Amino acid sequence: MTEPIRRAAKRVETPAFIADVAKIKKNLAVAARIRKEAGCKILLATKAFAMPAVYPLMRRTLDGTTASGLYEARHDRKEFDKEVHAYCPAYKDSEVDELAKLADYIYFNSPAQMKMYAAKVKAKGKKIGIRINPGFSKATTGGDLYDPCAPCSRFGTLPEDLDRLPWKDIDLLHVHTLCQAGHKDSVALIRRVAECFGAYVEKVKTINFGGGHYFTAENYDVDELIAAIKKFREQFPHVDVIFEPGGALVYNAGYLVTTVLDTPFNGEYTAVLDTSATCHMPDVLLGDFRPPVMDAVLCENKKGQRTRPPKSHPHSYILAGRTCMTGDIIGLYGFKKPLKRGDRLILGDMLQYNFVQNTTFNGTPLPDLYVMEEDGTVLRASAFGYDEFARRLGWPAGKLRKLK
């Protein structure tokens, strides 16, 4: 199973993200089963993954996309071109008219936003959604940083404010509370909404249970999820059900290939790489994510404390980026043999929430994007260089534009 990616890793220029079509298909097969057996819609949340090169594959299974703002909605309409849903905690006046041309559903976050824009959107023939905060915190990673229902969260209308909403104008109820959740939390959310917010579910035609349902993870019981959806639909037969996963659809379905540039020693050996946690995998620094590394073992416990490398992988290295940020650290890993300059490392589970957040801090080049087909064929999807770095810094003095 690993040979195709090993061969691909030798051929690409590093750093490079590689999407594995075979593994994406495996994830999509789970989504297709849920969609068919539970009778629900499944959307791709493009905040987590947005690679047009694999959209033709995903379009066969998924019903559309969810955008987190105007630019994503533009991208989704142009590149995916199925049903488009859009949600943002707050919209600018200048965005709403264009969003109404692009999205089929526009979700609002508060009674105030609803009051400002709902009538305009409705007049354009588009459907209206409202996000609520059910006070149900079940994010399983990253603490409050990734918990939509954390104390003082800005996401969603609170239960005590729901009766202020113009329910006659609302088509969809949006509830997103999960992050990398297992089946027990998915089922608990569905039950919570039915038990505590059923009166509001009765007022709409559609409910969106959001993302964070990691139904492609190894220990996720898909049967339990399907049973919970069916029970919900029996209770509310007039209501359509939607899920909008992002990471789950590309979970363990891609890689970041990087090259070792140096191995200095300062109390511990460090492998300085041509990639960067700061620039290329921000969840390593923001949350508690440590990517799997092929042919290596992680030498940290769940609390982030370093542990001794096992006898099978006695050579430990801190994997680090080459930016000037001291904390640009990926983690401590053990290897079977010493690393040397020019060695290539393959980091796993690298598609979700990584390249969509990349930066060129310190002039760090953006990784190129590749697609690996099922037969091992490797296709380049993009090639970034200096121009991308320079473009982000703005025009030179001679090209500045005077405001009117």
Side-chain angles (χ1 to χ4, degrees):
M1 291 294 291
T2 60
E3 283 311 306
I5 183 58
R6 291 185 193 279
R7 291 194 294 269
K10 294 177 182 179
R11 298 171 57 197
V12 301
E13 297 179 23
T14 66
F17 287 105
I18 302 179
D20 188 329
V21 167
K23 292 188 176 181
I24 293 175
K25 280 187 173 181
K26 183 179 178 180
N27 289 342
L28 289 172
V30 180
R33 181 192 163 202
I34 296 168
R35 185 173 174 269
K36 180 180 179 180
E37 295 185 21
C40 63
K41 287 184 177 181
I42 296 184
L43 310 174
L44 166 67
T46 49
K47 65 182 179 182
F49 175 79
M51 187 185 286
V54 298
Y55 282 178
L57 169 63
M58 304 182 95
R59 197 183 291 119
R60 297 175 204 163
T61 297
L62 306 178
D63 295 281
T65 56
T66 295
S68 298
L70 177 58
Y71 283 3
E72 279 190 7
R74 252 192 223 175
H75 171 90
D76 293 358
R77 176 55 68 200
K78 179 182 178 183
E79 304 294 347
F80 208 96
D81 199 24
K82 290 186 80 172
E83 199 167 282
V84 176
H85 294 234
Y87 163 78
C88 186
Y91 299 103
K92 288 181 166 184
D93 290 343
S94 59
E95 295 173 333
V96 175
D97 284 337
E98 187 172 355
L99 264 176
K101 297 175 184 177
L102 299 166
D104 300 287
Y105 284 81
I106 297 179
Y107 303 0
F108 295 103
N109 192 64
S110 67
Q113 287 271 300
M114 181 76 73
K115 185 176 180 179
M116 279 189 284
Y117 301 123
K120 178 184 288 190
V121 170
K122 206 76 173 177
K124 300 282 187 181
K126 300 308 171 80
K127 294 181 179 179
I128 300 291
I130 184 69
R131 179 168 179 169
I132 69 169
N133 184 335
F136 185 74
S137 293
K138 286 292 182 179
T140 58
T141 185
D144 286 356
L145 184 66
Y146 298 121
D147 184 355
C149 292
C152 304
S153 170
R154 67 189 182 280
F155 297 124
T157 300
L158 295 173
E160 57 264 34
D161 293 325
L162 293 180
D163 289 333
R164 294 173 50 200
L165 294 167
W167 287 100
K168 61 179 175 49
D169 297 325
I170 297 173
D171 303 286
L172 178 147
L173 191 65
H174 183 217
V175 186
H176 175 40
T177 69
L178 305 181
C179 179
Q180 294 192 358
H183 62 275
K184 291 182 179 179
D185 291 335
S186 296
V187 171
L189 172 62
I190 294 169
R191 289 174 179 168
R192 168 89 171 199
V193 171
E195 292 170 4
C196 300
F197 298 92
Y200 300 100
V201 176
E202 293 283 4
K203 297 176 185 291
V204 298
K205 296 179 181 178
T206 307
I207 184 163
N208 184 338
F209 283 110
H213 307 266
Y214 264 57
F215 50 71
T216 51
E218 184 176 348
N219 296 321
Y220 194 104
D221 191 330
V222 174
D223 289 330
E224 284 204 26
L225 174 65
I226 291 172
I229 299 169
K230 286 182 174 179
K231 185 175 180 180
F232 183 91
R233 296 188 68 227
E234 288 171 3
Q235 187 173 349
F236 304 99
H238 69 288
V239 177
D240 293 327
V241 173
I242 294 175
F243 290 85
E244 52 178 22
L249 296 171
V250 291
Y251 178 61
N252 276 335
Y255 316 90
L256 176 58
V257 184
T258 181
T259 300
V260 177
L261 301 178
D262 197 7
T263 56
F265 181 84
N266 184 1
E268 185 85 59
Y269 280 103
T270 295
V272 182
L273 309 174
D274 66 354
T275 189
S276 161
T278 303
C279 298
H280 303 154
M281 52 194 97
D283 278 349
V284 167
L285 303 185
L286 295 174
D288 52 10
F289 175 61
R290 294 292 180 272
V293 178
M294 194 171 291
D295 301 322
V297 295
L298 180 65
C299 298
E300 296 180 19
N301 60 27
K302 292 183 178 180
K303 296 182 179 180
Q305 299 165 331
R306 292 177 180 174
T307 59
R308 285 174 177 257
K311 292 181 180 180
S312 60
H313 295 71
H315 304 281
S316 61
Y317 291 82
I318 299 170
L319 302 187
R322 56 176 175 150
T323 69
C324 68
M325 185 172 289
T326 304
D328 190 358
I329 303 295
I330 298 165
L332 181 70
Y333 293 81
F335 294 83
K336 292 181 179 180
K337 59 184 181 180
L339 296 179
K340 62 184 184 301
R341 177 179 171 83
D343 285 345
R344 293 203 167 187
L345 303 183
I346 303 171
L347 283 60
D349 195 16
M350 276 287 125
L351 292 191
Q352 55 167 325
Y353 288 101
N354 282 311
F355 74 85
V356 291
Q357 299 186 72
N358 282 185
T359 75
T360 56
F361 171 66
N362 264 194
T364 304
L366 295 174
D368 291 343
L369 306 180
Y370 294 83
V371 175
M372 185 175 70
E373 300 284 6
E374 292 176 281
D375 64 359
T377 301
V378 180
L379 306 171
R380 177 178 268 165
S382 72
F384 300 112
Y386 170 78
D387 289 345
E388 186 66 19
F389 163 71
R391 184 188 63 78
R392 293 181 175 210
L393 301 180
W395 300 310
K399 293 185 177 180
L400 298 184
R401 299 175 182 178
K402 185 177 180 180
L403 294 179
K404 296 181 180 179

